[in-house]
Amino acid sequence: MRGVTGVKAVVAIAAISLSVVACSVDGDAVRVPDLTGRIVDASAFPFGAATPVPAAQTANALADITFTPLRAENDPADCTPAPVDAADAQIRVGPGGAAGGTLTVALTRTSDSFGDHLDLLRRCADFALGGTVGTRVSTDVLATADDTVESARTLSNGGTPYTRVYELTAQRGHVRLYVQNRFPATAQLGDAERAATRTLFDTAYDTAFGR
């Protein structure tokens, strides 16, 4: 997993350049950098070209990706992630490999920091997913490096796992990148699929944030 040297300086610069600002001192609107050109190309997906999620479905897709219910809270409530912005978000979905799942890349804006995101992953190792009947999400943080984190999630119901998620996330300023390989719990994500997912993450990271 990638690491970034001089992280304090890089994050400070990124926070200045990428923070979402609604208005200037005199009240004029300030243009927020567009995310459209910062999402990885569909051809970079390793197991077949991805397709974009239509704008009308973006909010629902982000709720699934971030485990943030649209009209409920997780239990405990402080395990509900801060909402992300669906208005400018970019999401691509493609096949996930031999495990029979899906690969998803999402680029969006968020109000919380990367430190907040990492703290939530560590603090909420197991919670009930709001807006569902009996679904629990467990998370193992596998590795961290500067502005990235690698984790494994399991969705279960009644104590029986039904979906697993291999996830890598990164954040610069208030722009966050998610890469997920989501597959049935009855399958195994092999070394080749994991390596391909990490390679896609590296490509998506470079496209979103630059080298």
Side-chain angles (χ1 to χ4, degrees):
M1 200 171 83
R2 66 185 308 128
V4 180
T5 58
V7 63
K8 290 184 178 179
V10 172
V11 171
I13 293 170
I16 293 171
S17 61
L18 296 177
S19 293
V20 178
V21 180
C23 61
S24 63
V25 174
D26 60 5
D28 294 332
V30 175
R31 186 181 66 84
V32 177
D34 186 15
L35 297 181
T36 305
R38 297 170 60 178
I39 186 72
V40 69
D41 192 81
S43 63
F45 281 63
F47 305 111
T51 56
V53 171
Q57 299 175 20
T58 297
N60 286 328
L62 284 174
D64 289 339
I65 293 165
T66 64
F67 302 99
T68 309
L70 292 176
R71 289 171 288 276
E73 290 185 328
N74 295 333
D75 184 13
D78 65 357
C79 288
T80 306
V84 296
D85 181 19
D88 192 35
Q90 300 294 315
I91 307 174
R92 303 286 184 271
V93 180
T102 57
L103 264 173
T104 300
V105 175
L107 190 65
T108 186
R109 303 185 195 282
T110 182
S111 59
D112 61 340
S113 69
F114 177 73
D116 294 333
H117 174 64
L118 184 56
D119 175 68
L120 187 83
L121 291 178
R122 288 171 168 162
R123 200 167 32 80
C124 297
D126 181 81
F127 61 89
L129 184 61
T132 67
V133 179
T135 296
R136 299 198 69 86
V137 180
S138 62
T139 302
D140 291 319
V141 175
L142 304 177
T144 63
D146 298 335
D147 57 357
T148 67
V149 56
E150 176 185 12
S151 59
R153 296 182 184 266
T154 299
L155 280 69
S156 61
N157 195 292
T160 302
Y162 64 88
T163 296
R164 300 191 193 279
V165 185
Y166 175 55
E167 176 181 87
L168 300 111
T169 60
Q171 186 168 333
R172 291 279 191 93
H174 288 283
V175 177
R176 184 177 298 158
L177 170 69
Y178 294 85
V179 175
Q180 294 181 344
N181 195 323
R182 186 176 294 227
F183 57 99
T186 53
Q188 294 286 335
L189 194 67
D191 291 341
E193 286 79 27
R194 286 182 182 272
T197 303
R198 288 194 293 267
T199 298
L200 176 62
F201 172 77
D202 285 346
T203 303
Y205 183 104
D206 289 341
T207 304
F209 305 124
R211 294 183 183 277

